[in-house]
């Protein structure tokens, strides 16, 4: 993935998270959980993009 696409995806995710936090009325606890989930998902995605994390598709539950 080219660096420009990576930066563009991160900017879009940041803007969407900002819009949700600013314009959608929610309890602060729910916003904190949402922010944490999004940050964790982005970090895992970045680790996969840079090849520091193995393929998650090989993990089977149950």
């Amino acid at each position: 993935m080219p660096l420009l696409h990576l930066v563009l995806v991160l900017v879009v995710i940041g803007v969407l998270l900002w819009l949700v936090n600013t314009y959608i009325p929610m309890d602060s606890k729910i916003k904190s959980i949402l922010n944490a989930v999004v940050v964790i998902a982005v970090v895992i995605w970045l680790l996969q993009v840079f090849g520091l994390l193995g393929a998650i598709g090989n993990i089977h539950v149950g």
Side-chain angles (χ1 to χ4, degrees):
M1 173 179 282
L3 186 59
L4 183 62
H5 290 151
L6 183 72
V7 171
L8 186 62
V9 168
L10 290 175
V11 168
V12 169
I13 290 172
V15 169
L16 288 175
L17 193 59
W18 173 75
L19 287 172
V20 167
N21 284 329
T22 303
Y23 294 111
I24 297 179
M26 278 189 267
D27 187 36
S28 63
K29 291 179 183 179
I30 295 173
K31 282 186 183 181
S32 298
I33 292 170
L34 177 68
N35 290 339
V37 168
V38 170
V39 168
I40 290 169
V42 167
V43 168
I44 290 173
W45 176 72
L46 283 172
L47 288 173
Q48 272 191 313
V49 167
F50 287 113
L52 300 174
L53 188 65
I56 292 184
N58 296 335
I59 298 174
H60 296 286
V61 179

